[in-house]
Structure formats: structure tokens, C-alpha cells
Amino acid sequence: EEFFKDVCVFFGSQVSLVPNYRFMLGMQGGYLPVEKRRLIEVMKSNQNVALVPGGVSEMLSCIPHDPTINVSVKHKGFVRLALQQGYDLVPTVFFHASDQYNNPGRSLQLWTYRKTGIPVGIPIYCNWLLMPFSNRTPIKVALGKKIAVAKIVAPTEEEVNELHYKFYAEVWRVFEKYAEEFGYGDRELAYVQ
């Protein structure tokens, strides 16, 4: 509970292109689109940052109740920024988050995302009955070990890659440790670009 007391949640900047959605998230307080300058401001204020490094590409690669949980590892900007700011990382796994909603428009969104970088189309998220409700699957959260990050103003690509590897190795460890307990014993984690 203490860990989440003072958290600013960042969401994919593509989400802010949806009319009124950015406004609605902003009204919730502590929700901002992922932008480097905003991340730095929040980091300097010593507030905790929560973000999903996989972003839209990861979201679109997940299928509810699929035996393979796809985790996108292509983004390294958050690691580089953590090094530049000396900001510790805490890898976190959300079990059953990808089971919450079905996305009947996923094929169209995948196609437009690959062509334009934006998942065009109205996001229609629904339950398995195609009703506008979640599948009501409880989400379980497992925190990994905090990775202490020393400040390096101009990190080399090797330093970024080393921390990136360490981050996702911890994600893998946490997944393997809690998969059975949290109802993912029949699923496997896959890292995708």
C-alpha cells in the first residue's frame, strides 16, 4: 500500500489522440501521457512512476486467456532515462490483466498500428459475451526486487542494454515464481519485439 501511495501513472501517448480520453484520465489525477519531459519532472519530484514499457504494441499482442503472454521488450527509453536520472526500477507483473477485455477490433487496430504507429479505430473492449463490461477476472500484482540504478548522465548503449536485460530477467523471475500461485500455471511468458 505504501508503495502505491504517491504514484503517477503514465499511459501511451497514442491514447491521448482519442477525443476526451486524455481529459478523462487527467481528471482522475496523476495520469499523464508518456512524454520524456513529464517523466523527468515527476522523477525529480521524487514521486513514483508507473508505466507499461510494452505500450500499445504489447497491448495489441495480448489475447485474453491465450496460453502465451506476450511481453514487448523493444522499448529501452525508460531504462536510458532511469540511468540518466539515477531512478530505481521495480519490475512488476500484473497477472490476468490481459484477460480483462476482449477486443473485437484487434485485427483492424493491429493493421493500422503497423502501418501508421497508431491503433486507429474505436477501441471496443467488451467481455466474452460482447457486452461493454470486463470479464471480471481478478488481477494479481507481483512486485520484483528493486533494481538500484546509479546515475549516469550519458549512458553507453552497453550500459542501457545491461540494465534492460536485468529488468526483464527480473520480470521473468517474478513470472516464474508466481505463475502457479496466481493461476498462470498453464501459461508461458514470451518476449516479443
Side-chain angles (χ1 to χ4, degrees), residues 112-176:
T112 58
Y113 182 69
R114 287 184 183 130
K115 299 289 183 191
T116 67
I118 300 170
V120 177
I122 299 171
I124 303 170
Y125 298 104
C126 58
N127 63 15
W128 63 279
L129 295 170
L130 299 180
M131 300 295 288
F133 306 106
S134 78
N135 287 318
R136 303 192 51 82
T137 309
I139 295 176
K140 309 269 182 160
V141 180
L143 299 177
K145 295 176 184 171
K146 179 171 83 170
I147 301 170
V149 179
K151 186 173 183 172
I152 303 171
V153 177
T156 65
E157 202 58 37
E158 184 179 319
E159 290 165 327
V160 170
N161 289 337
E162 182 181 328
L163 182 57
H164 186 259
Y165 177 83
K166 189 185 261 187
F167 180 87
Y168 283 105
E170 181 62 8
V171 167
W172 189 276
R173 186 194 70 77
V174 170
F175 182 87
E176 292 296 318

Side-chain angles (χ1 to χ4, degrees), residues 91-103:
T92 307
V93 178
F94 286 75
F95 291 89
H96 298 288
S98 63
D99 298 335
Q100 289 302 302
Y101 294 96
N102 294 53
N103 182 3

Side-chain angles (χ1 to χ4, degrees), residues 3-149:
F3 181 80
F4 293 105
K5 182 180 174 191
D6 190 25
V7 176
C8 183
V9 179
F10 285 83
F11 58 86
S13 53
Q14 296 94 332
V15 172
S16 65
L17 299 173
V18 179
N20 296 321
Y21 200 65
R22 180 179 183 164
F23 176 75
M24 289 186 313
L25 286 173
M27 293 301 290
Q28 296 295 316
Y31 288 84
L32 296 168
V34 176
E35 295 169 356
K36 184 177 179 179
R37 73 175 175 80
R38 289 180 190 259
L39 276 165
I40 292 170
E41 285 172 17
V42 172
M43 289 175 166
K44 286 183 176 177
S45 73
N46 290 323
Q47 190 174 9
N48 293 314
V49 170
L51 59 87
V52 180
V56 173
S57 62
E58 183 175 292
M59 179 185 73
L60 292 175
S61 72
C62 289
I63 300 169
H65 309 289
D66 195 73
T68 302
I69 305 302
N70 294 312
V71 175
S72 175
V73 295
K74 71 180 186 176
H75 300 290
K76 294 183 182 179
F78 75 101
V79 172
R80 181 173 284 103
L81 200 54
L83 283 165
Q84 291 169 339
Q85 300 299 316
Y87 203 80
D88 297 342
L89 298 173
V90 180
T92 307
V93 178
F94 286 75
F95 291 89
H96 298 288
S98 63
D99 298 335
Q100 289 302 302
Y101 294 96
N102 294 53
N103 182 3
R106 182 176 169 272
S107 296
L108 172 65
Q109 290 174 339
L110 268 172
W111 183 81
T112 58
Y113 182 69
R114 287 184 183 130
K115 299 289 183 191
T116 67
I118 300 170
V120 177
I122 299 171
I124 303 170
Y125 298 104
C126 58
N127 63 15
W128 63 279
L129 295 170
L130 299 180
M131 300 295 288
F133 306 106
S134 78
N135 287 318
R136 303 192 51 82
T137 309
I139 295 176
K140 309 269 182 160
V141 180
L143 299 177
K145 295 176 184 171
K146 179 171 83 170
I147 301 170
V149 179

